[in-house]
């Protein structure tokens, strides 16, 4: 999921974001990304703002939630495990962040998405 809109970033930053994402360093934020990349927070922030028109924090949040949505859609992991997998500091914070972003709970999102998959499978078999 990370490849969306990141192609304009320098290769070193794309690789650093992949590493950051794969190691689930989200609680470390911009400082963690700077450490992985070897570049300063300011330098990274300037590049991201110029190339993607987002703050580094916004971009990291977007990537984090892309991963969360992917797990909700394609796995049977519990919502608690997904929150833990993506390094949310508490389940309450995860639910609040998810609801603020998507206007529904992770459970409702998963149920809605899965019902669409069932409908799609049903109609594709006919």
């Amino acid at each position: 999921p990370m490849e969306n809109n990141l192609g304009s970033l320098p290769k070193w930053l794309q690789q650093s974001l992949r590493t950051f994402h794969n190691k689930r360093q989200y609680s470390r934020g911009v400082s963690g990304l700077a450490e992985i990349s070897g570049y300063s927070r300011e330098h990274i922030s300037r590049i991201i703002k110029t190339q993607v028109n987002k703050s580094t924090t916004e971009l990291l949040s977007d990537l984090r939630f892309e991963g969360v949505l992917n797990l909700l859609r394609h796995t049977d992991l519990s919502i608690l495990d997904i929150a833990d997998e993506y390094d949310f500091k508490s389940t309450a914070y995860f639910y609040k962040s998810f609801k603020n972003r998507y206007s529904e709970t992770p459970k409702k999102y998963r149920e809605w998405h899965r019902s669409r998959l069932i409908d799609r499978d049903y109609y594709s078999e006919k």
Side-chain angles (χ1 to χ4, degrees):
M2 275 198 34
E3 303 308 315
N4 301 345
N5 302 324
L6 300 183
S8 62
L9 296 175
K11 295 291 182 210
W12 64 266
L13 185 50
Q14 290 179 40
Q15 184 57 44
S16 297
L17 285 164
R18 266 188 220 91
T19 301
F20 183 87
H21 178 76
N22 290 338
K23 291 185 175 184
R24 307 297 196 254
Q25 298 281 316
Y26 290 99
S27 68
R28 298 189 60 222
V30 182
S31 296
L33 181 60
E35 187 177 309
I36 287 169
S37 72
Y39 288 88
S40 73
R41 295 168 48 120
E42 294 78 14
H43 183 65
I44 292 168
S45 294
R46 261 192 313 275
I47 291 172
I48 290 173
K49 187 64 172 173
T50 301
Q51 299 296 319
V52 187
N53 198 30
K54 291 183 180 187
S55 72
T56 306
T57 302
E58 288 171 317
L59 178 63
L60 294 178
S61 182
D62 289 352
L63 295 175
R64 185 184 215 182
F65 276 105
E66 279 185 38
V68 165
L69 294 178
N70 187 49
L71 291 181
L72 286 170
R73 286 189 297 246
H74 302 292
T75 73
D76 289 325
L77 283 173
S78 74
I79 292 170
L80 298 177
D81 287 341
I82 292 171
D84 186 53
E85 175 77 17
Y86 277 92
D87 213 12
F88 283 87
K89 55 189 166 195
S90 73
T91 306
Y93 177 70
F94 172 67
Y95 271 88
K96 181 179 179 184
S97 299
F98 193 95
K99 183 133 183 170
N100 284 342
R101 184 176 270 249
Y102 300 108
S103 301
E104 62 186 353
T105 65
K107 181 180 178 187
K108 288 283 187 197
Y109 176 87
R110 176 179 265 171
E111 289 170 353
W112 178 84
H113 185 77
R114 289 200 172 163
S115 71
R116 288 186 47 132
L117 286 176
I118 291 167
D119 290 344
R120 188 175 68 211
D121 290 345
Y122 174 77
Y123 289 110
S124 66
E125 290 175 6
K126 291 192 172 230

